[in-house]
């Protein structure tokens, strides 16, 4: 076995933030949290794929982080005295991505994950240093495509796009091999015994070969949820990890509640697929939805919230306490209180063959992943709200032309003024009012779009291969099965919006009225886009999530 060195050379952040050297005083503060032990050259401290991953601070000697292979081990980085091991998997409790091997004998301070998390929660200075390093190391791994996953796919495959989005939204590093352009791909396919027809193929942790796996299968193979116990009673179960759900998780966990979050896909919700948010407080230069919600995700885990990925709520048992949330094909989770943050999904137009092109020319989010597919081409964005405006402005930086279709006479009154000005002043964006798509055409991949002027104009056919649909929203409330009162559009009614008739039908049992964000079911709250009357802004979703936690405390003390 030979070694090669492919070190992380931080390009996205300062090197001293990615691989800081602790001071002697800081090391002394860490020591009481763990144990001092000797290490010997060649000793493997952590193996790639290990579920139990200790945290090491190097006092003397050296530890090298290695990506193992059947032929050549790749050395990622060497930790010198004063430095420490780990990245964000240390916080989430997921499996190790790499091998940690002693390069030079010496002495380390070893902490288990619980001891390390306790250190982060109690020492403010060390918390900043460790969390920043963990997060930035993961950012660099993603940028360098250094991980335990290889995805072989095609840009013309909807399955490939789905898997790329799932891994990207979960900030999991992977190497992508393009079937259409990589000359060595056939050798790789032959090595693992898969055919071109099997694409997309995911090679998980170097040995598990998965043909077009579901998101749930990917999460299981990578052990996303292995460290989470899903059956004991929780103070609060939060359904959905969008901005409102993550805010509730951060505030609940930081205030000592036992918090479990259920997310059916990836953290971030619709906000996580926003290309760029410029009107969120505290970010004058703007921030991508994925980066904003990714920070919140790590913050929630730092305080001890546990977040189940790719497993959503399918039912709530509401006729007795504690309530119980059914998780997909898994167990029921008992909960003393529930916060529903299950969000919405974009309304799908009634095109006969729409599903044929979803992920193969029709998209419901505009992130860097989708933007790569349509660089230099014409695209259509359908919708007149903020999400459509953000998508149009973002795509206009890389595509030939963006055509915005709205059925009304102009952009929505709710669209932010700064977006309207960007759209009006960008020569690459053409606004088409009173316009709707009437047909999509293509053979597997979208090739042509037919649209018409709703004021009586004739239909036109155009060779356009990419359509982004962001038209209205449908609440994710089907799983509630009548347990809480809904408004005529299916959104959850809360607080003052609940009428006497609503409460009578729900047999409201308490002398008090429902709290501000409380549903017709005592101790069950609704926040974010799924709530009737919600203001569709990230900041309001975050506010609702944090406010709901204060009411949860009151309910738990009743």
């Amino acid at each position: 076995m030979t070694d090669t060195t492919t070190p992380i050379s931080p390009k996205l952040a300062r090197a001293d933030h990615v691989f800081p050297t602790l001071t002697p005083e800081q090391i002394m503060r860490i020591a009481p949290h763990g144990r001092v032990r000797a290490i010997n050259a060649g000793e493997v401290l952590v193996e790639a794929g290990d579920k139990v991953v200790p945290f090491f601070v190097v006092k003397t000697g050296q530890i090298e982080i290695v990506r193992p292979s059947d032929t050549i081990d790749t050395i990622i980085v060497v930790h010198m005295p004063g430095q420490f091991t780990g990245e964000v998997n240390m916080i989430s409790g997921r499996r190790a991505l790499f091998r940690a091997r002693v390069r030079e004998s010496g002495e380390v301070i070893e902490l288990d994950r619980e001891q390390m998390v306790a250190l982060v929660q109690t020492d403010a200075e060390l918390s900043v240093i460790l969390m920043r390093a963990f997060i930035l190391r993961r950012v660099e791994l993603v940028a360098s495509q250094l991980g335990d996953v290889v995805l072989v796919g095609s840009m013309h495959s909807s399955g490939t796009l789905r898997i790329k989005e799932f891994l990207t939204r979960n900030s999991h590093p992977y190497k992508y091999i393009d079937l259409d352009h990589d000359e060595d791909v056939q050798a790789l396919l032959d090595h693992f015994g898969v055919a071109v027809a099997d694409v997309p193929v995911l090679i998980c942790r170097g040995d598990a070969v998965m043909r077009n796996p579901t998101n749930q299968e990917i999460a299981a193979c990578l052990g996303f949820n292995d460290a989470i116990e899903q059956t004991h009673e929780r103070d609060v179960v939060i359904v959905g990890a969008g901005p409102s759900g993550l805010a509730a998780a951060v505030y609940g966990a930081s205030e000592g509640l036992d918090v479990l979050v259920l997310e059916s896909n990836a953290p971030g919700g619709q906000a996580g697929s926003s290309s760029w948010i410029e009107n969120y407080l505290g970010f004058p230069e703007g921030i991508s939805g994925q980066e904003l919600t990714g920070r919140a995700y790590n913050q929630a885990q730092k305080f001890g919230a546990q977040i189940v990925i790719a497993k959503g709520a399918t039912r709530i048992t509401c006729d007795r306490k504690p309530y119980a949330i059914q998780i997909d094909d898994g167990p029921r989770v008992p909960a003393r209180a529930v916060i529903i943050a299950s969000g919405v999904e974009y309304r799908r137009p009634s095109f006969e063959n729409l599903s044929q092109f979803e992920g193969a020319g029709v998209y419901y989010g505009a992130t860097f992943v989708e933007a790569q597919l349509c660089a230099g081409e014409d695209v259509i964005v359908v919708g007149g709200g903020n999400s459509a405006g953000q998508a149009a402005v973002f795509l206009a930086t890389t595509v030939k032309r963006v055509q915005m279709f709205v059925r009304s006479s102009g952009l929505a009154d709710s669209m932010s003024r700064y977006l309207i000005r960007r759209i009006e002043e960008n020569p690459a964006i053409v606004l088409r009012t009173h316009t709707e798509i009437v047909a999509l055409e293509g053979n597997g991949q979208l090739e042509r779009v037919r649209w018409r002027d709703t004021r009586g104009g004739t239909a036109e056919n155009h060779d356009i291969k990419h359509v982004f649909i962001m038209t209205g929203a449908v609440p994710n409330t089907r799983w509630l099965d009548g347990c809480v009162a809904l408004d005529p559009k299916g959104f959850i009614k809360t607080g003052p919006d609940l009428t006497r008739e609503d409460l009578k039908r729900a047999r409201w049992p308490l002398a008090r009225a429902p709290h501000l964000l409380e549903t017709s079911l005592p101790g069950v709250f609704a926040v974010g886009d799924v709530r009737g009357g919600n203001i569709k802004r990230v900041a309001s979703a975050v506010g609702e999530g944090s406010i709901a936690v204060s009411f949860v405390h009151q309910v738990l003390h009743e």
Side-chain angles (χ1 to χ4, degrees):
M1 178 72 68
T2 58
D3 291 345
T4 184
T5 302
T6 307
I8 294 179
S9 300
K11 306 176 185 67
L12 308 178
R14 287 171 49 183
D16 59 336
H17 285 171
V18 185
F19 301 113
T21 299
L22 301 173
T23 66
E25 189 274 333
Q26 290 167 339
I27 294 174
M28 287 179 60
R29 295 213 307 272
I30 294 174
H33 290 267
R35 67 186 182 102
V36 177
R37 55 162 289 193
I39 54 174
N40 301 308
E43 179 183 358
V44 175
L45 303 175
V46 177
E47 187 55 88
D50 279 356
K51 295 182 180 181
V52 179
V53 184
F55 169 76
F56 298 99
V57 178
V58 182
K59 295 187 70 176
T60 58
Q62 298 175 11
I63 297 176
E64 58 188 8
I65 306 302
V66 179
R67 182 171 66 175
S69 168
D70 293 336
T71 54
I72 300 176
D73 285 352
T74 302
I75 299 174
I76 306 298
V77 69
V78 177
H79 292 298
M80 310 299 286
Q83 297 184 327
F84 54 87
T85 63
E87 46 96 45
V88 292
N89 276 8
M90 288 297 309
I91 299 296
S92 63
R94 294 179 183 174
R95 296 175 183 173
L97 294 178
F98 307 114
R99 176 183 296 156
R101 185 173 62 200
V102 179
R103 185 185 185 97
E104 181 182 296
S105 299
E107 194 173 64
V108 298
I109 303 171
E110 178 181 345
L111 284 70
D112 62 29
R113 175 177 171 269
E114 289 70 26
Q115 292 169 327
M116 188 276 300
V117 171
L119 174 66
V120 166
Q121 293 176 351
T122 55
D123 191 309
E125 181 190 23
L126 288 171
S127 176
V128 171
I129 295 170
L130 298 183
M131 287 298 298
R132 181 172 57 199
F134 291 160
I135 292 169
L136 291 178
R137 289 174 186 179
R138 174 54 66 93
V139 170
E140 297 292 343
L141 290 173
V142 170
S144 303
Q145 298 190 33
L146 289 169
D148 55 355
V149 172
V150 176
L151 172 61
V152 182
S154 166
M155 301 297 275
H156 304 294
S157 160
S158 60
T160 299
L161 177 63
R162 173 184 55 80
I163 294 172
K164 289 181 74 172
E165 285 186 331
F166 182 72
L167 293 172
T168 300
R169 292 276 300 272
N170 280 287
S171 298
H172 195 90
Y174 67 97
K175 181 176 178 59
Y176 176 63
I177 298 177
D178 193 331
L179 182 68
D180 304 317
H181 298 99
D182 197 297
E183 296 179 356
D184 299 324
V185 69
Q186 190 60 53
L188 181 68
L189 293 174
D190 292 343
H191 176 76
F192 285 99
V194 293
V196 171
D198 296 325
V199 168
V201 174
L202 190 81
I203 302 168
C204 174
R205 293 184 288 108
D207 53 8
V209 179
M210 309 173 75
R211 295 163 174 82
N212 196 20
T214 65
N215 292 349
Q216 291 75 16
E217 290 169 338
I218 297 170
C221 185
L222 295 176
F224 279 6
N225 305 314
D226 286 354
I228 302 176
E229 205 286 311
Q230 300 176 23
T231 58
H232 79 262
E233 182 176 310
R234 304 283 181 156
D235 290 330
V236 59
V237 170
I238 301 168
V239 181
S244 58
L246 290 172
V250 168
Y251 282 91
S254 67
E255 294 169 11
L257 297 180
D258 185 356
V259 176
L260 180 70
V261 183
L262 306 177
E263 171 50 53
S264 60
N265 185 29
Q270 281 195 327
S273 64
S274 295
S275 52
W276 203 248
I277 302 171
E278 291 189 69
N279 59 351
Y280 188 71
L281 186 68
F283 294 91
E285 296 179 0
I287 186 170
S288 72
Q290 182 182 338
E291 185 179 1
L292 178 64
T293 54
R295 292 182 181 189
Y297 176 66
N298 290 321
Q299 191 176 16
Q301 292 184 321
K302 163 189 169 180
F303 287 119
Q306 294 187 314
I307 304 176
V308 176
I309 298 298
K311 289 192 176 184
T314 57
R315 187 171 181 271
I316 178 172
T317 302
C318 55
D319 57 354
R320 60 184 180 275
K321 286 190 174 182
Y323 302 122
I325 307 294
Q326 179 71 47
I327 305 177
D328 281 339
D329 57 352
R332 290 184 177 183
V333 182
R336 299 173 64 198
V338 178
I339 296 177
I340 302 170
S342 49
V344 297
E345 58 188 32
Y346 286 116
R347 185 176 288 110
R348 285 165 164 76
S350 56
F351 302 137
E352 182 179 349
N353 56 352
L354 177 64
S355 60
Q356 174 185 344
F357 300 115
E358 290 180 325
V362 173
Y363 319 103
Y364 298 98
T367 68
F368 178 72
V369 175
E370 288 85 9
Q372 287 181 305
L373 301 176
C374 49
E377 299 186 40
D378 278 9
V379 305
I380 294 173
V381 173
V382 182
N386 265 14
S387 295
Q390 289 168 346
V393 171
F394 170 67
L395 292 168
T397 61
T398 56
V399 303
K400 180 180 179 181
R401 181 174 60 170
V402 177
Q403 300 193 62
M404 287 193 74
F405 287 9
V406 293
R407 297 183 65 181
S408 63
S409 60
L411 298 172
D413 293 338
S414 59
M415 181 181 284
S416 298
R417 183 58 194 170
Y418 82 90
L419 281 175
I420 294 176
R421 292 184 62 184
R422 296 267 179 89
I423 291 167
E424 291 173 343
E425 297 173 5
N426 194 322
I429 301 176
V430 177
L431 177 62
R432 292 185 179 274
T433 59
H434 302 288
T435 304
E436 65 178 5
I437 294 175
V438 294
L440 304 173
E441 301 174 0
N443 183 17
Q445 188 81 18
L446 181 63
E447 297 171 7
R448 288 174 303 281
V449 177
R450 182 184 303 167
W451 70 73
R452 69 180 178 90
D453 189 311
T454 58
R455 294 168 296 189
T458 57
E460 304 176 31
N461 287 324
H462 293 267
D463 294 336
I464 293 180
K465 301 177 181 179
H466 307 282
V467 174
F468 295 80
I469 298 178
M470 298 168 182
T471 53
V474 178
N476 290 320
T477 53
R478 292 183 298 275
W479 62 279
L480 292 169
D481 196 25
C483 279
V484 301
L486 306 177
D487 69 15
K489 294 183 178 180
F491 293 88
I492 300 173
K493 299 177 75 171
T494 58
D497 290 337
L498 289 163
T499 65
R500 290 183 179 180
E501 290 72 21
D502 290 329
L503 297 179
K504 184 177 180 180
R505 283 193 295 270
R507 298 181 181 178
W508 180 261
L510 305 177
R512 67 167 176 82
H515 292 301
L516 179 64
L517 299 172
E518 196 168 17
T519 69
S520 58
L521 192 62
V524 176
F525 301 85
V527 296
D529 289 353
V530 75
R531 188 182 69 82
N534 167 264
I535 299 172
K536 302 298 187 284
R537 294 289 188 272
V538 175
S540 65
V542 170
E544 289 183 13
S546 60
I547 292 169
V549 171
S550 66
F551 293 128
V552 167
H553 283 293
Q554 294 182 44
V555 167
L556 295 182
H557 286 93
E558 283 181 345

